[in-house]
């Protein structure tokens, strides 16, 4: 019985904090839009010339993405891609990749 | 003792699971059920893998694909140009089965019963589903080009717009063509699969001619009034690299062909080629266009952008080239892969009784080679817009290459290796 109430309470808590808000897997879904080039979950095919993003620190990822946006980091395509996402979305993506091992 | 404890744990776990689903709790994983995926191309292979991966194996997936292995359309123009082989663009379905637990059936789906939620297979038998994803690509409207509307004609005047035996056959026609001959490629009116693809093919055939059959020429018969993708970059490549090889003719729709003389028949004109490559107009693959789903322009499936579900037929999701695209969205392998992920996320939510992600994003990149080494790209990012209920291109983002270059040639091949792995490894 105790377990029941406990699970329900946790659940209500989770529901309350996300009510009407983002999908619980938004970061995962957004990060998957990068996987075509950087590999599933950010693990690029070795030797393919594309960088892996998995396990890179959030701060590093966000800095590089900001530098692509501003043009400080030279790019063939990433300056155009980074501009397609909001800061909040890039933060979720960086969180997701930083957590991949 | 140990056994008791484990059993108690399971009981409590199951109870908590029930409670969680009553409260619609997002934590934990309670999506179950069986999803059938029809077609194992860029869209279908991706949705199959991602359904298994993101549901942590709790959603059962059966993929029905008619070919024994995946053959990529992107990069296949390099096979036609002679610098890559079929082996380079072929990937096995083995990992989908052994690593991801997708049941792969080599067969054709011949009928869909959306009320009974089952599909009939060509080799006999049927499959029932909780949700189905159709990723059938396109089928050609040969009736629009009467002379091509029979099997013998289609063996001679090739489209090579689905990678496979036709890719090999077109390469053979180019190899046997005498120097001084003409290769003509006919492009249908947009929308068609892979907007830059025909222009890339023209470049790669011209590159082959330049090096091996220098007196030969390429003529592009475009039904459209102008180059449909990366115009500036293609026009510059034709002027810089293929001034003596490539001739571009806009507003040149092929209405018919004379197969015996290899002649394309236009409205007011005729064009005889040594190798005639006609890409007929196309529509959503048969299973999607002939099953009573709501279509737009009688050709493409109308879908809901939050779930890729057919607007008229519940539990039937359609992805890839078969759908009516959102504004500026091309029919591409990259985009089909993104549709597959959008659909996988939505289906897992729906099977768990939750709403799909209200803010999906998809993005596209098409790389094209202008010779064996140099490539160019076009990219776009599309964010869901609640007012139009469409994924709209983000203004100021995306774009095309500054100039053709070898770095992007390497990136194009790197893209191919990563997207193939993203679908199939």
């Amino acid at each position: 019985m105790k377990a029941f109430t406990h699970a329900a309470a946790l659940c209500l808590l989770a529901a309350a904090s996300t009510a009407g808000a983002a999908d619980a897997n938004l970061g995962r879904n957004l990060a998957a839009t990068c996987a075509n080039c950087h590999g599933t979950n950010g693990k690029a095919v070795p030797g393919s010339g594309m960088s892996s993003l998995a396990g890179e620190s959030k701060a590093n990822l966000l800095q590089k993405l900001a530098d692509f946006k501003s043009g400080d980091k030279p790019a063939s395509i990433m300056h155009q891609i980074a501009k397609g996402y909001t800061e909040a979305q890039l933060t979720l993506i960086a969180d997701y990749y930083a957590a991949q091992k | 003792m140990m056994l008791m404890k484990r059993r108690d744990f399971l009981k409590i776990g199951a109870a908590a699971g029930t409670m969680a689903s009553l409260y619609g709790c997002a934590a934990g994983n309670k999506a179950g059920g069986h999803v059938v995926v029809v077609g194992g191309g860029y869209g279908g292979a991706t949705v199959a893998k991602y359904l298994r991966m993101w549901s942590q194996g709790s959603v059962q997936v059966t993929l029905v694909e008619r070919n024994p292995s995946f053959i990529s359309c992107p990069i296949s123009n390099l096979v036609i140009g002679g610098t890559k082989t079929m082996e380079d663009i072929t990937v096995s379905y083995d990992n989908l089965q052994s690593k991801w637990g997708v049941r792969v059936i080599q067969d054709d789906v011949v009928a869909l019963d959306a009320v009974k939620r089952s599909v009939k297979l060509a080799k006999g038998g049927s499959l029932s589903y909780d949700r189905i994803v159709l990723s059938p690509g396109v089928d050609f409207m040969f009736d629009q080009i009467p002379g091509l509307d029979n099997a013998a004609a289609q063996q001679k005047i090739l489209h090579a717009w689905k990678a496979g035996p036709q890719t090999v056959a077109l390469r053979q026609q180019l190899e046997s063509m005498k120097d001084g001959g003409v290769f003509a490629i006919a492009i249908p009116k947009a929308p068609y699969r892979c907007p830059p693809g025909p222009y890339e093919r023209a470049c790669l055939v011209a590159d082959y001619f330049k090096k091996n059959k220098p007196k030969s020429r390429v003529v592009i018969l475009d039904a459209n009034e102008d180059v449909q993708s990366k115009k500036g970059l293609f026009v510059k490549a034709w002027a810089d690299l293929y001034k003596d090889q490539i001739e571009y003719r806009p507003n040149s729709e092929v209405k018919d062909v004379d197969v015996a003389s290899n002649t394309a028949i236009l409205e007011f004109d005729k064009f005889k080629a040594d190798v005639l490559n006609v890409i007929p107009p196309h529509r959503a693959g048969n299973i999607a266009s002939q099953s009573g789903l709501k279509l737009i322009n009688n050709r493409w499936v109308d879908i809901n952008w939050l779930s890729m579900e057919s607007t008229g037929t519940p539990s039937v999701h359609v992805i890839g080239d078969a759908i009516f695209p959102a504004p500026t969205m091309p029919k591409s392998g990259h985009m089909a892969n993104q549709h597959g992920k959008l659909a996988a996320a939505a289906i897992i939510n729906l099977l768990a009784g939750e709403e799909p992600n209200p803010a999906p994003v998809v993005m596209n990149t098409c790389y094209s080679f202008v010779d064996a080494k140099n490539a160019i790209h076009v990219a776009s990012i599309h964010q869901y817009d609640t007012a139009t209920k469409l994924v709209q291109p983000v203004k100021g983002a995306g774009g095309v290459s500054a100039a053709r270059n070898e770095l992007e040639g390497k990136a194009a091949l790197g893209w191919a290796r990563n997207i193939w792995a993203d679908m199939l490894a």
Side-chain angles (χ1 to χ4, degrees):
Chain A
M1 199 51 212
K2 211 171 162 202
F4 277 76
T5 2
H6 188 57
L10 268 180
C11 204
L12 284 173
L13 208 71
S17 62
T18 58
D23 190 280
N25 294 304
L26 187 57
R28 177 201 74 182
N29 294 355
L30 288 166
T33 67
C34 316
N36 303 36
C37 294
H38 291 288
T40 304
N41 292 324
K43 292 177 185 110
V45 175
S48 67
M50 293 286 186
S51 341
S52 283
L53 305 177
E56 190 165 344
S57 79
K58 178 180 177 180
N60 268 352
L61 285 168
L62 285 175
Q63 187 59 51
K64 286 177 185 169
L65 290 163
D67 291 347
F68 282 133
K69 271 196 184 185
S70 68
D72 285 349
K73 190 168 164 65
S76 62
I77 192 166
M78 278 310 300
H79 57 308
Q80 298 171 339
I81 293 176
K83 286 177 196 151
Y85 297 80
T86 65
E87 298 308 320
Q89 288 173 332
L90 292 179
T91 303
L92 284 171
I93 292 171
D95 271 331
Y96 184 83
Y97 282 129
Q100 300 301 306
K101 294 201 186 75
Chain B
M1 240 347 239
M2 281 299 283
L3 199 72
M4 275 301 289
K5 259 189 188 158
R6 185 169 149 70
R7 206 181 279 150
D8 282 349
F9 171 76
L10 285 175
K11 243 194 240 162
I12 291 167
T18 315
M19 289 307 284
S21 59
L22 279 174
Y23 284 87
C25 184
N29 211 321
K30 60 223 170 308
H34 179 220
V35 178
V36 170
V37 178
V38 181
Y42 277 90
T46 304
V47 73
K49 168 173 158 178
Y50 273 76
L51 277 168
R52 295 288 299 162
M53 184 172 79
W54 281 347
S55 76
Q56 285 152 300
S58 71
V59 172
Q60 302 305 308
V61 178
T62 304
L63 172 67
V64 187
E65 162 59 45
R66 59 168 78 105
N67 295 313
S69 21
F70 167 81
I71 304 178
S72 176
C73 258
I75 313 297
S76 72
N77 278 334
L78 289 171
V79 178
I80 289 166
T83 58
K84 292 269 174 206
T85 63
M86 289 303 283
E87 203 188 347
D88 295 327
I89 61 168
T90 302
V91 187
S92 155
Y93 288 113
D94 287 355
N95 277 327
L96 274 189
Q97 312 203 60
S98 60
K99 186 167 161 199
W100 296 105
V102 174
R103 182 177 166 219
V104 180
I105 299 180
Q106 195 186 336
D107 205 336
D108 236 324
V109 169
V110 290
L112 166 69
D113 185 334
V115 176
K116 289 202 186 118
R117 290 199 283 189
S118 78
V119 285
K120 232 194 235 153
L121 301 175
K123 292 179 188 162
S126 60
L127 294 168
S128 55
Y129 61 80
D130 295 297
R131 290 185 171 268
I132 190 165
V133 184
L134 304 180
S135 187
V138 297
D139 273 308
F140 297 109
M141 299 158 78
F142 286 112
D143 57 327
Q144 306 279 302
I145 302 174
L148 256 189
D149 205 3
N150 67 79
Q154 291 163 25
Q155 293 295 311
K156 185 172 182 220
I157 297 179
L158 306 169
H159 53 76
W161 217 238
K162 294 184 182 187
Q166 290 236 339
T167 312
V168 177
L170 183 58
R171 175 65 197 162
Q172 280 164 355
Q173 289 187 352
L174 291 165
E175 281 177 0
S176 1
M177 192 191 85
K178 64 177 190 302
D179 190 12
V182 175
F183 166 74
I185 178 168
I187 307 172
K189 282 215 170 100
Y192 59 86
R193 157 180 279 186
C194 190
Y199 312 107
E200 175 190 62
R201 181 174 292 176
C203 289
L204 293 173
V205 172
D207 191 29
Y208 164 67
F209 285 170
K210 212 170 142 176
K211 290 169 184 152
N212 298 279
K213 305 184 181 188
K215 288 183 282 193
S216 310
R217 289 190 307 125
V218 174
V219 174
I220 304 169
L221 302 172
D222 197 338
N224 300 287
E225 61 190 16
D226 210 344
V227 178
Q228 294 297 296
S229 179
K230 300 179 241 191
K231 181 187 167 188
L233 291 159
F234 276 120
V235 168
K236 185 158 167 38
W238 299 340
D240 295 351
L241 308 172
Y242 308 119
K243 203 159 57 62
D244 300 327
Q245 275 82 28
I246 295 184
E247 180 193 338
Y248 177 70
R249 298 191 185 180
N251 300 311
S252 299
E253 185 174 16
V254 171
K255 302 270 193 189
D256 203 353
V257 290
D258 180 57
V259 180
S261 64
N262 245 16
T263 301
I265 300 165
L266 318 182
E267 197 169 9
F268 303 112
D269 206 356
K270 287 183 177 183
F271 191 85
K272 185 172 158 30
D274 295 278
V275 176
L276 181 57
N277 175 200
V278 175
I279 305 165
H282 28 288
R283 65 172 177 222
N286 288 340
I287 192 66
S289 61
Q290 313 296 304
S291 297
L293 306 183
K294 186 177 171 223
L295 302 180
I296 294 182
N297 296 336
N298 219 13
R299 284 166 74 178
W300 312 107
V301 182
D302 187 29
I303 53 110
N304 174 338
W305 281 102
L306 292 177
S307 59
M308 308 299 296
E309 199 167 3
S310 154
T311 53
T313 312
S315 301
V316 178
H317 301 253
V318 186
I319 61 175
D321 294 349
I323 63 153
F324 185 79
T328 77
M329 177 183 283
K331 297 191 178 298
S332 75
H334 190 109
M335 188 46 82
N337 164 295
Q338 302 261 320
H339 293 168
K341 291 166 183 170
L342 198 170
I347 288 169
I348 291 169
N349 282 15
L350 289 163
L351 287 172
E354 291 162 14
E355 290 296 313
N357 171 14
V361 178
V362 291
M363 64 87 58
N364 182 65
T365 304
C366 292
Y367 284 105
S368 305
F369 282 86
V370 295
D371 62 26
K373 289 218 155 67
N374 289 273
I376 55 183
H377 79 259
V378 59
S380 54
I381 296 90
H382 306 251
Q383 300 250 3
Y384 189 75
D385 168 52
T386 46
T388 56
K389 299 194 167 134
L390 296 169
V391 285
Q392 295 282 2
V394 178
K395 292 199 182 74
V400 298
S401 309
R404 64 174 183 271
N405 63 80
E406 290 199 16
L407 203 70
E408 291 213 73
K410 294 204 175 82
L413 297 176
W415 166 86
R417 289 181 63 187
N418 281 286
I419 193 170
W420 296 341
D422 192 34
M423 300 154 54
L424 294 159

